[in-house]
């Protein structure tokens, strides 16, 4: 990370969009951006009402914003249906035969759904949900592979007012169980399996494990995808295709209140328990719509591809909702970027003529490592705009993306945002903002971002501080599901009335935001958030483990790798077999992405005299091989010296 900061400080390369790009873009000059930004901050009601009117509402709002910090209501009194806006609206307006989803499965199977076909599938599935007893405001857990049905399931929930809660397909049965307990979902939508690197992930078996002892789930709807054998529990489990065959392909949607809950998405924080971030309908709809329109500059003839999974917020906002609100054609891909090899993405870009491509820095670094030949054998000339998200992008990766993938002609939008913000907050506008490798540049419309020091003063240019948002925005989280106190304490207590993002950042003289990374104990592994406390609690749930401390270390491809220091219970001998067992245990409790890259068994952890683990020393140790800095509060310096020897030996 520190290497990144240094290269950021000396970064003077700057790129401007070509005249040709600007001419066609929605926002084509900085003057236009500044004018609109000013209005969005000074007169948010005027600005957002104009945007909201581009979509369909059954009843207009009476007030754009009702703000009693930290609670916001947007488009108060308005009624709408986000699914109708994503799907039916396009059919009604004559875009029914346009492709909505061009899908490719990992084994190479292909499917295209037009907006009209999508409408029929969504309507059918809305009927299936209702026939299976799902009602408005019921929570529905979705655990699916990346098939069109993942988006269909989300849209069908939204259509009937049910609240979806997606659990990423790479998470474990235990993770599903925790989320079920917290959300009290009444139904689960899953599949027999999903393809990943040539193998089948047995999704249904994980759901079965998670449901042992569960009392709230009444129905499990299972999509047939991989045809592997699954157990179906009588009365509880039903097949998607069998249920769909029983119901009509039309469904009359009703409108819901603008503040009707839309979804819960769990994300890691600084405690062991993930937070259920709650988003509601109207504001989220308008933010995802406008960010796609202005930042991805989506047009009728674009072929857009976001490589995320719907299990993450990026898949919610920039696969399902935002692109479909804009009626764009998008590519969806089921599997891994390196199956059968690292040219898979470029083959897909070439085959479908992708024009807008949105991915994560960790993927870009993996492509660089795999070698340029894999890129060069494909024609990528259809691309006109590139995007990144998930973590700070190192300038080297940015330049490679710009030159090798974008051919030096495609602007890159480096988009900073979070599960909590619902939509992109900081990003260049591709037709006007001068871009530099490594900065998410400027705030989007309505985003009053600033960097503050500990006393609440705004930092001077190039000084590091905490990133905050000083005014509410339409797609902001409304609460942590079932935990108002945690919502207030986590996001709104550092500075009165302001949202704290949890990221460190600085602004350069031109006002560009440079994100440094998380300030809390949250790691960013391959663009995914992972709480160190979460991994620690998984580790200590293993019978051999007495205590554990987890920190991140810089990693070439993942950004950060997970390092665990583990002390064993008395009488337990350390061994390679135990090491594997402990790693696998974390995989079983959370999911494969949380498996520690390095595990050090140690007699003791470095603690202060008051018993606090000194993570600062551990972080330094794994990054540099040595612990320096202030150790006066340390209980026993020998513990650190022993760990140094262990780490250096590796
Ligand atoms: C959308 C998403 C949020 C955290 C965020 C920050 C990091 C995301 C970034 C970025 C630098 C970017 N982050 N985008 N850092 N530049 N363009 O990733 O949501 O999974 O909730 O993670 O990711 O640290 O706080 P989420």
């Amino acid at each position: 990370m520190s290497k990144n900061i240094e290269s950021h400080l000396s970064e003077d390369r700057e790129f401007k969009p070509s005249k040709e790009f600007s001419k066609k873009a929605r926002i084509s000059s900085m003057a236009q951006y500044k004018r609109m930004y000013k209005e969005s901050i000074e007169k948010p009601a005027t600005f957002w009402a104009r945007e909201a009117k581009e979509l369909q509402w059954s009843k207009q709002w009476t007030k754009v914003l009702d703000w009693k910090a930290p609670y916001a209501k947007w488009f108060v009194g308005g009624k709408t249906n986000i699914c109708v806006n994503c799907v039916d609206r396009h059919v009604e307006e004559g875009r029914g035969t346009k492709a909505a989803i061009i899908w490719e499965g990992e084994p190479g199977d292909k499917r295209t759904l037009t907006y009209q076909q999508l409408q029929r599938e969504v309507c059918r599935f809305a009927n299936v949900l209702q026939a299976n007893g799902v009602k408005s405001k019921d929570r529905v857990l979705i655990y699916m592979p990346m098939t069109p049905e993942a988006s269909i399931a989300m849209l069908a929930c939204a259509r009937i007012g049910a609240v979806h809660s997606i659990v990423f397909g790479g998470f474990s049965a235990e993770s599903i169980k925790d989320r079920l307990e917290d959300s009290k979902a009444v139904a689960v939508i899953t599949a027999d399996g999903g393809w990943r690197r040539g193998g089948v992930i047995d999704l249904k078996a994980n759901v079965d494990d998670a449901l042992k002892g569960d009392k709230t789930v009444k129905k499990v709807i299972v999509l047939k995808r991989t045809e592997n054998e699954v157990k179906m529990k009588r009365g509880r489990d039903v097949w998607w295709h069998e249920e769909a065959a029983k119901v009509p392909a039309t469904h009359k949607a009703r409108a819901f209140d603008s503040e009707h809950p839309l979804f819960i998405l769990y994300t890691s924080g600084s405690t062991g328990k993930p937070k259920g971030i709650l988003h509601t309908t109207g504001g989220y709809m308008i933010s995802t719509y406008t960010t796609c329109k202005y930042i991805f500059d989506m047009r009728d003839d674009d072929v857009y591809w976001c490589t995320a999974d719907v299990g993450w917020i990026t898949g919610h906002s920039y696969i399902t909702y935002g692109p479909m609100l804009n009626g764009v054609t998008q590519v969806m891909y089921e599997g891994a970027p390196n199956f059968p090899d690292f040219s898979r993405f470029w083959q897909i870009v070439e085959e479908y003529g992708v024009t807008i491509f949105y991915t994560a820095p960790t993927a870009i670094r993996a492509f660089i490592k795999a070698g340029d030949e894999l890129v060069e054998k494909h024609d990528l000339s259809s691309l006109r705009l590139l995007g990144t998200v998930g973590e700070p992008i190192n300038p080297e990766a940015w330049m490679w993306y710009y030159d090798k993938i974008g051919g030096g002609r495609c602007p890159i939008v480096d988009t900073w945002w979070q599960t909590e913000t619902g939509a992109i907050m900081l990003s260049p506008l591709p037709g006007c903002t001068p871009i530099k490798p490594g900065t998410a540049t400027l705030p989007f419309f309505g985003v009053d971002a600033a960097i503050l020091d500990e006393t609440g003063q705004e930092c001077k240019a190039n000084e590091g501080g905490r990133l905050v948002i000083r005014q509410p925005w339409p797609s902001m989280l409304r609460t942590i599901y079932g935990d108002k106190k945690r919502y207030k304490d986590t996001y709104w207590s550092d500075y009165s009335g302001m949202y704290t993002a949890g990221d460190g950042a600085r602004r350069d003289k031109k006002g560009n935001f440079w994100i440094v990374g998380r300030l809390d104990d949250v790691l960013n592994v391959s663009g995914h958030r992972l709480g160190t406390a979460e991994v620690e609690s998984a580790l200590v749930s293993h019978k051999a483990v007495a205590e554990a401390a987890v920190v991140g270390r810089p990693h070439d491809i993942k950004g950060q790798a997970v390092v665990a220091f583990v002390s064993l219970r008395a009488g337990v001998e350390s061994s390679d077999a135990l090491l594997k067992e402990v790693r696998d245990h974390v995989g079983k409790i959370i999911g494969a992405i949380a498996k520690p890259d390095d595990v050090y068994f140690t007699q003791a952890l470095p603690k202060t005299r008051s018993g606090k683990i000194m993570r600062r020393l551990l972080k330094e140790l794994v990054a540099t091989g040595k612990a320096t800095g202030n150790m006066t509060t340390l209980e026993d310096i020998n513990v650190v010296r022993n760990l140094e020897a262990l780490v250096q030996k590796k």
Side-chain angles (χ1 to χ4, degrees):
M1 197 71 90
S2 60
K3 206 169 118 211
N4 272 352
I5 298 169
E6 276 162 33
S7 46
H8 283 170
L9 284 170
S10 60
E11 185 59 67
D12 51 14
R13 285 170 288 195
E14 189 176 271
F15 301 86
K16 295 210 170 93
S18 67
K19 284 222 171 64
E20 205 198 328
F21 192 103
S22 293
K23 223 166 51 202
K24 291 191 202 140
R26 282 208 174 70
I27 312 285
S28 54
S29 71
M30 283 307 276
Q32 191 187 355
Y33 161 71
K34 284 181 186 152
R35 201 166 54 240
M36 286 174 73
Y37 180 74
K38 188 166 188 284
E39 183 196 39
S40 73
I41 295 297
E42 289 171 3
K43 294 183 193 145
T46 313
F47 182 89
W48 289 113
R50 196 172 54 235
E51 293 295 335
K53 279 182 187 156
E54 292 185 6
L55 298 182
Q56 218 179 69
W57 296 76
S58 313
K59 185 166 168 260
Q60 230 209 281
W61 53 90
T62 49
K63 202 174 166 197
V64 172
L65 170 66
D66 177 3
W67 174 232
K68 289 185 194 72
Y71 299 104
K73 288 186 184 141
W74 282 88
F75 308 106
V76 185
K79 282 191 192 298
T80 187
N81 188 301
I82 190 169
C83 173
V84 167
N85 274 294
C86 286
V87 182
D88 306 51
R89 191 168 56 93
H90 305 305
V91 179
E92 282 156 25
E93 291 173 5
R95 291 184 291 277
T97 55
K98 180 174 177 177
I101 301 174
I102 303 173
W103 176 77
E104 186 162 313
E106 199 189 67
D109 41 344
K110 300 173 199 298
R111 237 168 104 195
T112 298
L113 282 172
T114 63
Y115 274 98
Q116 194 159 27
Q117 288 165 330
L118 183 67
Q119 183 187 37
R120 292 171 62 84
E121 296 296 323
V122 168
C123 286
R124 260 191 213 287
F125 201 64
N127 287 325
V128 167
L129 289 172
Q130 284 177 324
N132 279 280
V134 179
K135 292 192 275 306
S136 164
K137 291 203 178 159
D138 280 349
R139 274 81 54 217
V140 176
L141 189 139
I142 300 178
Y143 186 65
M144 296 272 280
M146 279 299 291
T147 54
E149 282 77 8
S151 288
I152 292 168
M154 295 166 82
L155 290 163
C157 284
R159 189 175 190 92
I160 64 165
V163 183
H164 58 72
S165 175
I166 306 192
V167 178
F168 170 56
F171 279 144
S172 65
E174 288 286 331
S175 294
I176 304 174
K177 197 180 170 80
D178 288 348
R179 286 155 176 78
L180 274 177
E181 271 165 21
D182 193 75
S183 66
K184 303 198 172 47
V186 301
V188 175
I189 306 169
T190 188
D192 50 357
W195 289 102
R196 191 82 187 166
R197 289 199 187 92
V200 169
I201 299 181
D202 206 344
L203 298 168
K204 176 63 166 58
N206 285 345
V207 169
D208 291 341
D209 279 353
L211 285 176
K212 280 182 192 138
D214 175 89
K215 290 192 183 63
T216 60
V217 173
K218 304 219 166 44
K219 289 284 172 180
V220 178
I221 305 174
V222 189
L223 175 79
K224 206 168 236 178
R225 162 71 189 130
T226 45
E227 311 261 340
N228 53 313
E229 216 170 298
V230 297
K231 284 196 201 102
M232 297 292 278
K233 187 172 167 181
R234 261 235 172 123
R236 186 194 72 183
D237 301 354
V238 293
W239 287 106
W240 179 308
H241 61 278
E242 287 178 4
E243 294 302 293
K246 296 181 200 159
V247 294
T250 53
H251 176 274
K252 198 166 161 28
R254 95 177 216 237
F256 294 96
D257 191 273
S258 177
E259 284 300 329
H260 190 90
L262 179 64
F263 66 85
I264 301 167
L265 183 60
Y266 287 85
T267 188
S268 297
S270 48
T271 72
K273 192 175 168 256
K275 306 174 275 198
I277 304 300
L278 181 84
H279 282 287
T280 58
T281 305
Y284 177 82
M285 175 168 87
I286 300 310
S287 287
T288 51
Y289 170 67
T290 50
T291 46
C292 278
K293 184 174 70 166
Y294 293 121
I295 296 170
F296 294 118
D297 194 42
M298 282 183 186
R299 359 204 102 249
D300 197 34
D301 55 358
D302 271 316
V303 178
Y304 164 87
W305 183 21
C306 166
T307 68
D309 187 287
V310 289
W312 309 106
I313 190 67
T314 305
H316 283 62
S317 304
Y318 298 107
I319 292 178
T320 299
Y321 291 111
M324 295 200 196
L325 286 164
N326 282 273
V328 80
T329 293
Q330 71 177 310
V331 169
M332 187 190 262
Y333 169 61
E334 177 186 33
N338 59 348
F339 190 83
D341 66 35
F342 269 113
S343 66
R344 186 69 185 263
F345 276 16
W346 318 127
Q347 170 227 315
I348 293 175
V349 168
E350 177 174 354
E351 180 168 349
Y352 301 108
V354 172
T355 59
I356 308 173
F357 180 72
Y358 191 30
T359 197
T362 183
I364 298 167
R365 290 190 299 262
F367 295 131
I368 297 176
K369 202 168 168 202
D372 293 359
E373 323 75 76
L374 295 173
V375 178
E376 283 157 3
K377 65 179 187 192
H378 292 284
D379 176 6
L380 305 181
S381 61
S382 58
L383 290 168
R384 67 177 192 95
L385 175 58
L386 304 174
T388 80
V389 59
E391 60 179 304
I393 181 163
N394 46 312
E396 300 69 32
W398 194 100
M399 282 311 307
W400 184 88
Y401 196 34
Y402 189 77
D403 288 334
K404 286 282 166 206
I405 305 303
R409 72 182 179 277
C410 307
I412 298 179
V413 288
D414 176 350
T415 62
W416 176 88
W417 60 294
Q418 308 175 295
T419 305
E420 292 87 341
T421 68
I424 298 168
M425 303 295 275
L426 304 173
S427 171
L429 293 178
C432 64
T433 315
I435 49 177
K436 276 171 181 281
T439 168
T441 70
L442 300 171
F444 184 65
F445 302 130
V447 177
D448 185 11
I451 296 168
L452 305 185
D453 67 15
E454 267 156 41
T455 67
Q457 292 291 317
E458 206 163 338
C459 292
K460 293 195 198 74
N462 289 326
E463 248 175 44
R466 301 172 193 199
L467 179 58
V468 300
I469 317 288
R470 295 181 290 201
Q471 287 189 34
W473 64 99
S475 61
M476 63 185 263
L477 77 165
R478 298 302 194 260
T479 190
I480 292 177
Y481 188 70
D483 200 344
K484 270 190 180 181
K485 184 174 179 312
R486 194 171 173 200
Y487 168 68
K488 271 193 186 168
D489 291 351
T490 312
Y491 304 109
W492 302 94
S493 62
D494 286 2
Y495 309 102
S496 161
M498 293 181 206
Y499 171 83
T500 321
D503 276 347
R506 65 178 185 85
R507 266 187 118 161
D508 64 21
K509 286 210 176 72
K510 291 184 173 166
N512 292 313
F513 284 81
W514 298 78
I515 308 295
V516 179
R518 303 287 310 183
L519 295 169
D520 50 10
D521 288 321
V522 172
L523 306 182
N524 192 325
V525 180
S526 302
H528 301 311
R529 275 160 74 166
L530 196 60
T532 54
E534 231 176 300
V535 184
E536 287 164 5
S537 86
L539 283 164
V540 298
S541 72
H542 187 281
K543 58 185 188 309
V545 176
E547 210 177 12
V550 168
V551 293
R553 84 168 151 76
H555 186 279
D556 282 353
I557 294 192
K558 299 187 194 183
Q560 276 186 302
V562 182
V563 184
F565 293 89
V566 172
S567 69
L568 296 172
R569 284 183 190 277
V572 179
E573 287 290 321
S574 67
S575 67
D576 287 348
L578 182 62
L579 195 140
K580 180 172 183 304
E581 199 184 306
V582 164
R583 289 188 70 232
D584 289 347
H585 181 72
V586 175
K588 190 165 167 275
I589 300 286
I590 304 174
I593 54 163
K595 277 190 187 179
D597 295 86
D598 312 330
V599 178
Y600 295 105
F601 288 130
T602 166
Q603 292 283 317
L605 296 170
K607 289 186 185 168
T608 61
R609 274 177 221 113
S610 60
K612 282 212 174 72
I613 297 171
M614 290 187 75
R615 284 162 203 290
R616 176 173 60 76
L617 293 179
L618 294 175
K619 272 187 215 164
E620 193 192 347
L621 186 60
V622 295
T624 66
K626 280 193 85 57
T628 56
N630 188 342
M631 287 188 231
T632 49
T633 57
L634 200 64
E635 189 189 41
D636 180 1
I637 185 108
N638 290 321
V639 173
V640 176
R641 296 293 165 241
N642 290 340
L643 289 178
E644 268 178 358
L646 263 185
V647 172
Q648 285 166 9
K649 208 164 73 189
K650 203 174 152 86

